[in-house]
Amino acid sequence: MQMNDDRLDELFADLRSIEAAPSDALTARLIADAQSESDRLAATRERLADRPTRFSPRLLVEDILGLIGGWRPALGMAASLCCGIWFGAVGSDPAMFLSGLGLDRPAITVDLPENPSELIATPKGMTE
């Protein structure tokens, strides 16, 4: 059967005429679930109310980690902090960062003479 606009309008009209109401069993399960969730939250509030009022570094760290989302975001921020310090210390020359990886460019450049025997000769200024 081909669906056209008139048939589609009739189908939506039929669907609008159906009154859907949750069954009594579903309503009872929803109310029981809401009550158990409410009891759990009340127990959590009581436990938080019993927390010590004096300063505790452990509780401070737990609160800060809770604010940022837990250990995973904290470790990610610590890793990015270390990378930022490392890149800041290396500077803007990426060859310094990669010097130990066998690049073709040497880390130190030295001007060598055209005649290799001059390397063996006595350095200038060292004559007697």
Side-chain angles (χ1 to χ4, degrees):
M1 171 191 226
Q2 188 173 7
M3 187 67 69
N4 58 19
D5 289 339
D6 294 333
R7 177 70 182 129
L8 192 59
D9 289 337
E10 290 173 11
L11 180 63
F12 284 139
D14 289 343
L15 291 174
R16 278 192 293 268
S17 67
I18 299 173
E19 291 195 28
S23 66
D24 292 336
L26 177 62
T27 305
R29 284 195 316 254
L30 286 173
I31 290 173
D33 187 39
Q35 185 63 41
S36 67
E37 190 67 22
S38 174
D39 294 342
R40 187 185 65 79
L41 288 174
T44 302
R45 272 192 223 105
E46 288 175 11
R47 194 172 61 240
L48 289 176
D50 293 339
R51 291 177 90 170
T53 56
R54 63 182 177 82
F55 176 75
S56 171
R58 184 183 63 82
L59 293 178
L60 177 67
V61 169
E62 285 180 6
D63 289 342
I64 291 172
L65 286 176
L67 287 174
I68 61 175
W71 279 105
R72 286 186 180 192
L75 292 175
M77 285 191 278
S80 63
L81 173 70
C82 292
C83 289
I85 291 172
W86 178 258
F87 290 139
V90 167
S92 62
D93 186 16
M96 286 180 62
F97 179 65
L98 302 172
S99 63
L101 299 178
L103 294 176
D104 295 331
R105 179 180 147 193
I108 299 174
T109 57
V110 178
D111 292 329
L112 296 175
E114 290 183 24
N115 184 2
S117 63
E118 292 179 14
L119 291 173
I120 301 172
T122 307
K124 295 178 185 177
M126 298 291 289
T127 57
E128 294 177 24

